[in-house]
Amino acid sequence: MRPKLVNEFLNKKLFFWNDLIYISTVDLQDSSAQSGQISAMSKAFEQHLRERFNFIGLNSLTNIRGFRWAATLRGAVGKIVKSILLALLVFRSAEREFGVFTREVLIATLFVLARKNVIYEIHQEPNWGGFILLKFLGLFKNFKLLAISHGLANAWFARLGENRVFVYHDGVDTQIIDDACPIHEDGFLKSKVAVYTGSFHKGRDVLSLEPLFGKYDDWTFYLVGAKAGEFDYYKQKFSSFKNVHVISRVNANRVRKYQASASVLLYPLTIQNPLWKFTSPLKLFEYMLARKPIVASCIGSICELLDSSNAFVYSTEDEIIDAFERLLHATQGELSHMVEHNYKMVLDKYNWKSRVAFILEIT
């Protein structure tokens, strides 16, 4: 922990650039995890930098006459076109010297070549094209890389040098605590409610929970977040289990209510999920904020956040029953220690305000 005077200095520290511009081609209206992360980071930057911050994204193009067609473009070519148009828009409208923060490697490349200071936020292993661009960007001193996990950063330390590669996991908005009141409906009046909130389409994550359903028929399981096509499949898949409820995607406020209503929250990451090695899942920090016990697979970068001291962890799918049994036999004191430890983690570090402060400190 830093001394008080050091913290005060960092809070007053002038940003190296006159302005910071966060640039993204992601549609912030699509309710995906990445759009949620970008929106949350933008809000935190805005609160910290006020008039010296700006976000330039897809909506900026759609609001400009003659550029609305760009929003309809899809795929790699569409992303390239959008990136170039956004870069042109920034150069045309910027009045002062600025730096760029982005999670898109092509945008990072364009502005590094334009001699702007750039921090590129990397979220997963790049494809071959992204790998080549990152190797190229490593040649420039005005380029820094922010990884969302130590595992991902370690792959680039040797290539870029430790003084230009930084790590900070994702986080959660701690100001939403008051919104997370429990659901007062029949299914949630029971004392044994297990909840999963998140994507259904990645690997075997949701499917790996099936051993719990038959083993613990006195528990009620809520699986929240199925897309339209996924809902019918999983509804049929788990139709033999009367204690399983598949729920379609709901808004963020409703998600928090499900989390607040749980006796335990489930995080079943599997190696079939392409993100398992380096992920920093938003829902895990939401779980921590909800102050509920967590049963989670501990593989890849999740081991940087969870272990037996703050969750009931397991390494392989066939160990999930054992992890759940440890939850059932834990004392109230052990459960309280775990949830309060996780709660303190998000209040102290894994939140957007702290994350933004760290980014500004490394510039």
Side-chain angles (χ1 to χ4, degrees):
M1 182 177 293
R2 295 188 184 95
K4 183 178 179 181
L5 288 176
V6 176
N7 278 328
E8 289 177 352
F9 169 76
L10 291 176
N11 289 337
K12 296 177 181 178
K13 177 183 175 183
L14 293 177
F15 195 51
F16 182 73
W17 306 316
N18 290 332
D19 292 300
L20 171 67
I21 302 179
Y22 190 168
I23 307 174
S24 175
T25 63
V26 173
D27 183 359
L28 299 188
Q29 310 303 318
D30 67 3
S31 72
S32 65
Q34 68 173 342
S35 65
Q37 195 260 10
I38 293 170
S39 296
M41 286 290 293
S42 297
K43 180 180 177 182
F45 274 126
E46 177 65 36
Q47 292 174 341
H48 202 106
L49 293 175
R50 302 189 184 280
E51 74 277 0
R52 296 189 291 119
F53 171 78
N54 195 12
F55 177 83
I56 303 293
L58 184 66
N59 292 339
S60 302
L61 291 180
T62 60
N63 291 333
I64 297 176
R65 185 177 178 182
F67 278 174
R68 293 175 185 172
W69 58 272
T72 65
L73 298 175
R74 297 290 183 269
V77 173
K79 198 162 190 175
I80 291 172
V81 173
K82 292 173 187 175
S83 298
I84 293 173
L85 288 176
L86 286 174
L88 292 174
L89 174 61
V90 169
F91 282 117
R92 188 182 71 177
S93 58
E95 298 179 350
R96 297 185 294 180
E97 185 61 27
F98 63 88
V100 169
F101 183 86
T102 184
R103 49 184 285 173
E104 299 180 41
V105 69
L106 178 56
I107 288 176
T109 303
L110 292 172
F111 284 93
V112 164
L113 291 176
R115 299 185 178 182
K116 301 300 180 183
N117 291 316
V118 174
I119 293 182
Y120 168 62
E121 183 179 60
I122 187 169
H123 282 250
Q124 57 188 345
E125 284 184 292
N127 57 24
W128 65 270
F131 181 85
I132 292 173
L133 284 178
L134 280 176
K135 288 279 286 182
F136 173 69
L137 290 172
L139 301 173
F140 296 83
K141 293 184 179 180
N142 56 327
F143 174 76
K144 292 181 181 179
L145 184 145
L146 176 69
I148 61 167
S149 67
H150 288 279
L152 190 53
N154 288 340
W156 293 99
F157 277 152
R159 296 182 175 94
L160 300 180
E162 291 192 31
N163 62 329
R164 288 199 287 145
V165 180
F166 303 89
V167 183
Y168 210 104
H169 274 274
D170 277 324
V172 68
D173 182 359
T174 56
Q175 296 180 344
I176 63 176
I177 298 173
D178 294 337
D179 295 336
C181 56
I183 299 172
H184 297 291
E185 297 173 3
D186 290 344
F188 290 97
L189 298 179
K190 302 177 181 179
S191 59
K192 299 180 178 180
V193 178
V195 173
Y196 166 81
T197 62
S199 301
F200 278 55
H201 62 281
K202 296 177 180 177
R204 285 182 41 80
D205 292 6
V206 175
L207 292 174
S208 70
L209 294 172
E210 188 169 352
L212 298 176
F213 304 155
K215 175 75 173 176
Y216 303 101
D217 55 6
D218 57 333
W219 278 73
T220 303
F221 295 86
Y222 285 85
L223 312 176
V224 183
K227 294 180 181 179
E230 299 166 343
F231 178 83
D232 293 334
Y233 171 80
Y234 283 96
K235 189 81 171 176
Q236 178 61 34
K237 176 69 176 177
F238 301 137
S239 60
S240 61
F241 301 105
K242 304 305 180 185
N243 58 335
V244 176
H245 301 275
V246 179
I247 310 296
S248 299
R249 280 194 169 187
V250 295
N251 62 41
N253 186 55
R254 184 71 174 178
V255 168
R256 292 194 293 272
K257 290 181 182 296
Y258 276 108
Q259 293 168 352
S261 305
S263 309
V264 60
L265 293 166
L266 306 173
Y267 182 68
L269 184 67
T270 59
I271 59 174
Q272 289 79 18
N273 186 325
L275 304 179
W276 74 273
K277 281 186 180 181
F278 305 129
T279 186
S280 183
L282 303 187
K283 62 174 167 278
L284 186 53
F285 301 109
E286 292 175 356
Y287 284 8
M288 292 177 172
L289 186 67
R291 300 170 95 167
K292 301 291 181 177
I294 300 171
V295 172
S297 55
C298 186
I299 57 177
S301 58
I302 298 305
C303 298
E304 299 173 15
L305 300 167
L306 299 179
D307 56 34
S308 58
S309 69
N310 62 338
F312 300 95
V313 296
Y314 57 95
S315 300
T316 61
E317 289 184 39
D318 57 5
E319 296 175 351
I320 191 170
I321 295 293
D322 178 64
F324 208 84
E325 283 293 320
R326 280 184 271 121
L327 162 75
L328 298 181
H329 290 90
T331 66
Q332 189 57 50
E334 291 171 332
L335 295 177
S336 297
H337 174 77
M338 286 184 172
V339 300
E340 293 306 318
H341 175 75
N342 288 334
Y343 185 65
K344 189 174 188 302
M345 285 174 68
V346 293
L347 290 186
D348 290 349
K349 182 175 182 180
Y350 297 121
N351 60 79
W352 303 123
K353 181 180 179 181
S354 296
R355 195 170 195 269
V356 160
F358 173 82
I359 293 169
L360 299 183
E361 183 181 336
I362 67 175
T363 55

